[in-house]
Every structure is written in C-alpha cells, then in structure tokens.
Amino acid sequence: MSNVETEPAEVRCGVPVDGGRPAEAPGVDVLAARDVPLGGPRAMRVRRTLPQRARTLIGAWCFADHYGPIDVATAHGMDVAPHPHTGLQTVSWLFSGEVEHRDSLGTHALIRPGEMNLMTGGYGICHSEVSTPRATVLHGVQLWVALPEEHQNAERDFQHHIPEPVRVDGAEIRVFLGSLAGDTSPVRVFTPLLGAQITLEPRATITLAVDTAFEHGLLVDSGDVRVADTLLRPAEMGYVRPGIDTLTLVNESEDPARTILLGGTPFEEEIVMWWNFIGRSHEDIVRAREDWEASAQRFGDVEEYPGSRLPAPALPNAVIRPRRNPPPR
Ligand code: MN
C-alpha cells in the first residue's frame, strides 16, 4: 500500500529521546490509531498506529495500517496506483478479501487471507494494489519493515508464505515472520523480527514464550485483550518493552479476539521516512522523490495497471522537526 496522505510529514525514526516515558516504567503503552484516508474523495480509510508521536518503531516495524471490514460491493475498496518504495519491506496480511498485486519485478500475485506477501524494495521498486470483486469484504493489515543500513539497497524481491496454523490451548497462531509457539517462518528478513496472527478463543488466557531482547506491539483487530494490567480495545496497539520472557494475553470478550503480534530487537539506526520512502537523510528522500518523478529505472515499471502512476506529493518546505522514539529500556 502507499502512504497517500496529501501532505505527508517527514518522520525521523529511531532517535533516542530525552523526556520520553522512563525506560523502566511498568506496563504497556497504548498506541491509539489515527484515521487516515488513502487519497481521493471516497477513498477507503485506514487506522494507522505506526508511526506516531509517541512511538515510531517497534523493532524494525515502522508502519502499521489496519483496515476494514469494508464491503467492496458497496464502498470503495483498495485501488492504489503504481507507487515506489525504498529502504523497506512491505508485508501484506489479510483477514478477508483479495488484493491483486503487481510490481516492477514482474510479480503478479493475488494476496489472500492467511497468506503472507513480503515485497523488498531496497534501492527501488514500485507496485500497484487493487482489491478484487471476487471477495466482497476487505479486511487486513499493511505493515512496513525498515531495512538496516547495510541492506538498505537490497535487491528487489517478493516472497510468499502460507503459515501452517499452530494450535495452542485457547488460541490459534499463524507465524508469518520469525518464530513463535514452535513455528518458524522461512521468509527472509534483515533484522530479528516477529510477525504473527493470534486468535484467542472467547475468555481464553494464553502465555507465550518470547525473546527477551525483543520489544513487542500487539494490535487488536477484534475483541478486548488484556496485556499485563492494560486492556486493549479494537484498533489499539499495545507496546511492551524488551526484557520479558513470556507474554500473557487474556481475551476479556465473549467472542474470539483476533490480534497481530509484532516484535523485534530495538532498531537502533536513525532513519528518515517520507511518503513511501525510507532513507538515512533528507537528501536521500529528495533524491528518491526526484528519481520517481523522472521515471528513473531505479524503480522499474508496473505492467498492466489500468491507469497512471501516483505522483509524489510536494516535499515539505522545511525539514520537519525530528519525532523521536523513547528508549526501549
Ligand atoms: Mn506500497
């Protein structure tokens, strides 16, 4: 997906802060979602929990959009024209619906529920994403992973994986990145990372062994889920600091609770995010924007998209003041 805000801010991520919440503060930080239209007068809206002022990164996870359920028979679904990416991987994960993906590697793929699609756009890639009319309810998440500096120009790549559901007492888990509950995803990433769908049965409590070096974010899609002393409502993300070796989740609702658990070792590099680009400096962003506007081969071309590509928005006149991440510990 594209960040199609008309005036995207430049966000500096990963910089330790003064004046943030104390690292040793107990409990879970609740990251509320911001409602963002994906461009156009009747565009679909997404609930964005990353980046935000209080937190720009969880591990290398740098962007989290949550959308739907949207009935694409009566409302506008997803139709994101070809747009570029640099310095990141996109992770598409659906709960329901179907999205047709085309990219400048020549990939033409259908994104379906329970199937992870990860696209790597290091030096440059472009892609389009269009929901299909075959499945009427569109519902899922779009996540981005920042690439570390030594891999920021990684080759274009596209990986697909269908995790086998893992049953534990009280929940079903699908591990799309990293390792959890005895399952390990074969998908290649560049920093230690976790991504999994966890669906809790009504009133269930589960305790999962987690990597003590990881920080975690639990995004609630449905249900009310308690993590430590904090109750998370649908569309909220709960941030949990590193240093724990188990994570206990309690579904306090009478229905199944569906969540996405993200994790990773704190990403210690400073990055600059603007629109669909990640770089190390404002100059990197300016260059990527110019290259896209000049149709440079850096990004390649998407074949067979019925329409024109997305133009880059104007850059802000001034470099936006850094938004800083509280130290993880
Ligand atoms: Mn995209």
Side-chain angles (χ1 to χ4, degrees):
M1 197 179 294
S2 168
N3 178 4
V4 258
E5 288 179 274
T6 51
E7 293 180 3
E10 187 171 276
V11 183
R12 291 166 80 86
C13 307
V15 189
V17 213
D18 317 314
R21 207 174 126 91
E24 64 281 9
V28 175
D29 293 348
V30 179
L31 305 177
R34 184 162 66 96
D35 207 31
V36 179
L38 283 190
R42 287 182 295 168
M44 67 179 261
R45 303 182 77 85
V46 299
R47 299 177 290 276
R48 184 165 299 163
T49 44
L50 284 180
Q52 60 174 274
R53 197 166 294 276
R55 181 147 298 279
T56 52
L57 290 155
I58 297 177
W61 296 103
C62 59
F63 187 91
D65 273 357
H66 175 212
Y67 54 86
I70 298 161
D71 183 348
V72 297
T74 57
H76 281 246
M78 184 186 296
D79 184 357
V80 187
H83 61 277
H85 288 291
T86 62
L88 60 86
Q89 296 176 300
T90 63
V91 173
S92 302
W93 181 262
L94 291 180
F95 304 130
S96 65
E98 186 180 70
V99 172
E100 189 169 24
H101 164 102
R102 295 176 191 274
D103 66 35
S104 54
L105 272 168
T107 311
H108 177 207
L110 288 171
I111 297 172
R112 293 188 167 122
E115 305 186 7
M116 206 233 22
N117 291 279
L118 179 145
M119 184 184 78
T120 303
Y123 182 61
I125 197 166
C126 64
H127 70 147
S128 61
E129 296 154 290
V130 181
S131 50
T132 77
R134 280 187 289 275
T136 58
V137 177
L138 183 64
H139 191 181
V141 290
Q142 166 79 25
L143 309 163
W144 294 355
V145 175
L147 295 176
E149 186 162 17
E150 63 173 317
H151 296 292
Q152 65 174 324
N153 293 323
E155 294 277 305
R156 292 175 194 161
D157 192 26
F158 187 84
Q159 299 176 72
H160 175 253
H161 174 56
I162 306 177
E164 197 62 42
V166 177
R167 291 225 141 261
V168 299
D169 192 20
E172 184 206 70
I173 301 175
R174 294 168 192 247
V175 182
F176 49 84
L177 281 180
S179 295
L180 188 70
D183 191 31
T184 296
S185 166
V187 173
R188 295 182 305 281
V189 286
F190 296 93
T191 53
L193 218 55
L194 170 65
Q197 174 179 314
I198 302 174
T199 305
L200 295 141
E201 292 166 11
R203 295 277 161 198
T205 296
I206 63 166
T207 296
L208 299 164
V210 294
D211 190 323
T212 57
F214 278 26
E215 52 187 354
H216 293 90
L218 186 79
L219 176 67
V220 177
D221 173 61
S222 63
D224 297 319
V225 179
R226 185 174 297 281
V227 183
D229 58 349
T230 302
L231 189 64
L232 300 170
R233 309 274 183 197
E236 291 179 340
M237 174 101 77
Y239 170 74
V240 185
R241 287 171 183 68
I244 52 163
D245 57 9
T246 59
L247 190 60
T248 297
L249 310 179
V250 183
N251 178 5
E252 299 220 340
S253 46
E254 303 295 339
D255 296 301
R258 183 161 51 198
T259 68
I260 295 287
L261 180 63
L262 304 179
T265 52
F267 192 83
E268 285 169 349
E269 297 174 22
E270 183 181 336
I271 57 173
V272 179
M273 272 180 77
W274 179 80
W275 192 42
N276 296 309
F277 302 131
I278 290 181
R280 291 304 183 275
S281 65
H282 178 69
E283 291 67 37
D284 288 350
I285 300 296
V286 170
R287 194 171 315 114
R289 184 187 180 282
E290 285 172 358
D291 287 346
W292 175 248
E293 292 301 284
S295 302
Q297 271 317 297
R298 168 175 190 173
F299 298 107
D301 295 302
V302 175
E303 306 289 338
E304 293 183 56
Y305 176 82
S308 48
R309 51 193 229 147
L310 282 183
L315 273 168
N317 286 328
V319 177
I320 304 298
R321 206 170 139 265
R323 289 187 192 178
R324 299 180 166 215
N325 216 18
R329 50 182 315 159

